[in-house]
Amino acid sequence: MFELDLRSRAPIYEQLVDKIIELIISDVLKPDQQLPSVRILSSELTLNPNTIQKAYRELEYRGYIYSLPGKGSFVRPALAEDNSARLLNLEKELNRIITEMLYLGLRPDEILARAEDLLSAAKGGNIND
Amino acid sequence: MIEVERVSKQFGELEALHDVSLAVHQGSIYGLVGSNGAGKTTLLKLLAGIYKPDTGNIMIDAQSVFENEAIKARSVFIPDILYFFHNYTIQDTADFYAHIYPQWNHQRYLKLAGVFNIEVKRRIRTLSKGMQRQVAFWMGLSLMPDVMILDEPLDGLDPVMRQKVKQLIIQDVADRAMTVIISSHNLRELENICDYIGILHQGKMLIQKDLDDLKADVHKIQVAFSTETPPALIDEMQALYHEQRGSISIFIVRGSHSEIVSRIQAYAPAILDVLPLTLEEIFIYEMGDNGYEIKNILY
């Protein structure tokens, strides 16, 4: 169902957590949809089952999934997580991008114009879906 | 559950293992790595009940392993140098194992024939090295072991077969909570399948830890300043390793990611990259700390 980059330096369970969050946020995994069992996923990705268990526990702790004993893990519909850390990261990233754009010679008003374009595109995306 | 308590083993003058302890929980895959001659094979042979420890205890499910038939009946040891009876075919070997091991599962054996795809009438000694290793796994997995002890198990297998064998092992770990201890030099391979790692060097256990904790604990940092790297920073980092490549400083540092980043941010670096280490790098730096390092050798 998805691939991990096993050559990446990031710990595998972190990659797994990030990947599943990405799939949930982008609505590929729908609310209340069942996640693959530990057994199936470990065999598909050739990963230690304990690593997958650990990733599922982390996802559950962070409120992205819930588990039913004997049934498996499911996507939790409404997300009640504290996003401040992630937002802070994104802000840093934005800062880095803007700094680089300025360095490459874009004027502040050009950057603003592009950001406005992107913003209206992101808003429009939902309507034209 | 495998428990090794303060085990030492000597061969004549040579102390192969000194005061080694470890624990492998049920359903866990423990990766044993180490320099050449570190004592990995000795440790695995002790676990398999082939050698008797000079001091200390080796227990599987709270029973001593040495000369213990009940334990041996449900564990498999695949050594680095395989042994099969002379002139035996695969079928002969399977019949023999079925007779010896009470947990032998004939259905499994027949099913695995489809995976390994070697004619059962072939004499094992006529098979290639890699095929012989496949036969070892075929037999080992057919006897439904609770414990698998594997010494350099994937050596000589082609990439497709490696993947298949790893999948088979993982399935048994997921389905039956089989416990596995595996030695290898292929650290990248261990990284995917092990959840616990032990590093052995000159007969001593240097470090053993949950693999994710091990990786979360050490970082490689690349940092550059618009002027010179502040000497105060170099002092403050207390790095395991520090190298200056032109204007870029490379540090290997222990500690939590966020704490390290905030410490360096205080010096306003122009570039800051923090990377987790690969198992290979952890191995090299831990070994370097113990006087076993890669020196640039020029002839």
Side-chain angles (χ1 to χ4, degrees):
Chain A
M1 103 177 197
F2 49 76
E3 284 290 321
L4 298 178
D5 180 7
L6 297 176
R7 265 165 306 185
S8 154
R9 291 160 171 276
I12 288 168
Y13 99 96
E14 261 179 44
Q15 284 191 55
L16 205 56
V17 167
D18 291 348
K19 195 76 180 181
I20 293 174
I21 290 178
E22 190 189 320
L23 291 175
I24 291 174
I25 291 175
S26 58
D27 220 25
V28 174
L29 288 171
K30 305 269 189 281
D32 293 315
Q33 187 181 337
Q34 184 168 10
L35 273 82
S37 74
V38 169
R39 184 183 169 278
I40 288 176
L41 201 55
S42 69
S43 164
E44 260 177 24
L45 301 174
T46 330
L47 290 181
N48 190 310
N50 299 316
T51 307
I52 293 172
Q53 195 71 59
K54 194 167 161 185
Y56 278 15
R57 267 204 306 272
E58 171 83 15
L59 285 164
E60 194 172 344
Y61 174 73
R62 287 166 63 174
Y64 285 97
I65 65 173
Y66 62 94
S67 66
L68 297 176
K71 293 225 172 93
S73 301
F74 301 84
V75 178
R76 183 183 289 276
L79 185 64
E81 206 206 14
D82 176 15
N83 281 325
S84 56
R86 175 73 185 143
L87 279 173
L88 199 68
N89 261 333
L90 287 172
E91 207 169 300
K92 275 186 197 157
E93 215 166 302
L94 189 62
N95 181 34
R96 187 187 61 74
I97 292 169
I98 291 176
T99 313
E100 192 166 344
M101 282 178 154
L102 288 170
Y103 175 79
L104 293 176
L106 278 182
R107 288 193 315 274
D109 57 303
E110 284 174 317
I111 297 173
L112 272 177
R114 279 173 204 224
E116 269 162 13
D117 283 353
L118 288 172
L119 275 173
S120 60
K123 272 189 219 144
N126 292 333
I127 302 163
N128 304 331
D129 236 0
Chain B
M1 167 123 187
I2 303 174
E3 284 163 292
V4 173
E5 285 170 14
R6 313 204 59 174
V7 162
S8 299
K9 177 75 188 170
Q10 229 164 347
F11 297 103
E13 289 291 288
L14 177 82
E15 189 170 43
L17 287 179
H18 179 79
D19 204 15
V20 170
S21 298
L22 65 88
V24 189
H25 296 282
Q26 193 185 358
S28 171
I29 306 179
Y30 186 106
L32 187 62
V33 303
S35 46
N36 291 127
K40 297 188 294 293
T41 299
T42 305
L43 181 56
L44 294 181
K45 284 188 172 171
L46 283 159
L47 281 172
I50 293 173
Y51 292 153
K52 192 178 178 186
D54 293 340
T55 57
N57 294 315
I58 297 183
M59 320 277 262
I60 292 181
D61 294 338
Q63 293 182 52
S64 172
V65 172
F66 189 69
E67 298 285 334
N68 186 335
E69 274 184 39
I71 292 292
K72 289 189 180 186
R74 53 197 192 85
S75 48
V76 164
F77 173 49
I78 300 186
D80 52 346
I81 300 162
L82 299 172
Y83 178 80
F84 294 102
F85 292 133
H86 198 65
N87 270 345
Y88 263 45
T89 64
I90 295 174
Q91 188 61 53
D92 294 338
T93 309
D95 292 344
F96 174 74
Y97 279 180
H99 182 67
I100 297 284
Y101 284 95
Q103 302 199 92
W104 177 269
N105 183 331
H106 196 65
Q107 257 71 46
R108 191 93 192 278
Y109 167 70
L110 295 176
K111 215 170 149 191
L112 288 175
V115 176
F116 293 112
N117 225 343
I118 308 172
E119 179 55 50
V120 294
K121 291 202 186 67
R122 292 275 303 266
R123 290 188 195 285
I124 296 174
R125 68 182 174 83
T126 67
L127 298 173
S128 77
K129 181 183 161 204
M131 286 164 101
Q132 292 193 4
R133 204 150 269 280
Q134 290 179 38
V135 174
F137 274 107
W138 188 355
M139 298 300 138
L141 290 164
S142 298
L143 53 88
M144 308 293 279
D146 298 329
V147 176
M148 264 196 144
I149 300 161
L150 307 172
D151 197 356
E152 292 284 345
L154 302 170
D155 246 27
L157 295 178
D158 68 55
V160 174
M161 212 24 97
R162 273 166 187 261
Q163 198 70 9
K164 277 193 194 173
V165 165
K166 282 196 278 182
Q167 265 172 7
L168 288 168
I169 294 172
I170 281 169
Q171 271 173 27
D172 271 18
V173 172
D175 289 350
R176 312 191 288 113
M178 181 170 75
T179 308
V180 183
I181 181 161
I182 177 169
S183 85
S184 181
H185 285 294
N186 192 336
L187 301 185
R188 190 160 282 168
E189 204 144 56
L190 287 184
E191 247 173 314
N192 318 346
I193 59 170
C194 294
D195 47 14
Y196 220 82
I197 292 286
I199 300 179
L200 208 57
H201 181 53
Q202 293 180 341
K204 295 189 185 108
M205 194 61 89
L206 289 187
I207 194 172
Q208 46 186 333
K209 233 179 187 174
D210 183 287
L211 180 55
D212 289 321
D213 292 347
L214 196 63
K215 287 179 112 186
D217 196 39
V218 193
H219 304 274
K220 182 178 203 164
I221 294 160
Q222 296 184 57
V223 59
F225 293 87
S226 39
T227 56
E228 197 188 343
T229 308
L233 175 68
I234 299 175
D235 282 351
E236 198 192 317
M237 292 306 284
Q238 299 194 337
L240 289 178
Y241 177 84
H242 170 229
E243 189 186 325
Q244 194 71 34
R245 285 189 199 152
S247 57
I248 296 178
S249 292
I250 294 165
F251 296 98
I252 305 289
V253 187
R254 263 191 233 279
S256 81
H257 185 281
S258 53
E259 194 248 342
I260 292 169
V261 169
S262 65
R263 225 187 311 161
I264 301 175
Q265 289 290 10
Y267 290 88
I271 299 173
L272 170 61
D273 275 330
V274 183
L275 304 167
L277 263 69
T278 63
L279 183 55
E280 213 154 40
E281 286 169 322
I282 293 172
F283 180 82
I284 289 168
Y285 292 118
E286 287 292 338
M287 285 303 198
D289 239 16
N290 284 275
Y292 189 78
E293 51 197 323
I294 307 170
K295 298 208 173 73
N296 286 327
I297 302 167
L298 293 174
Y299 288 103

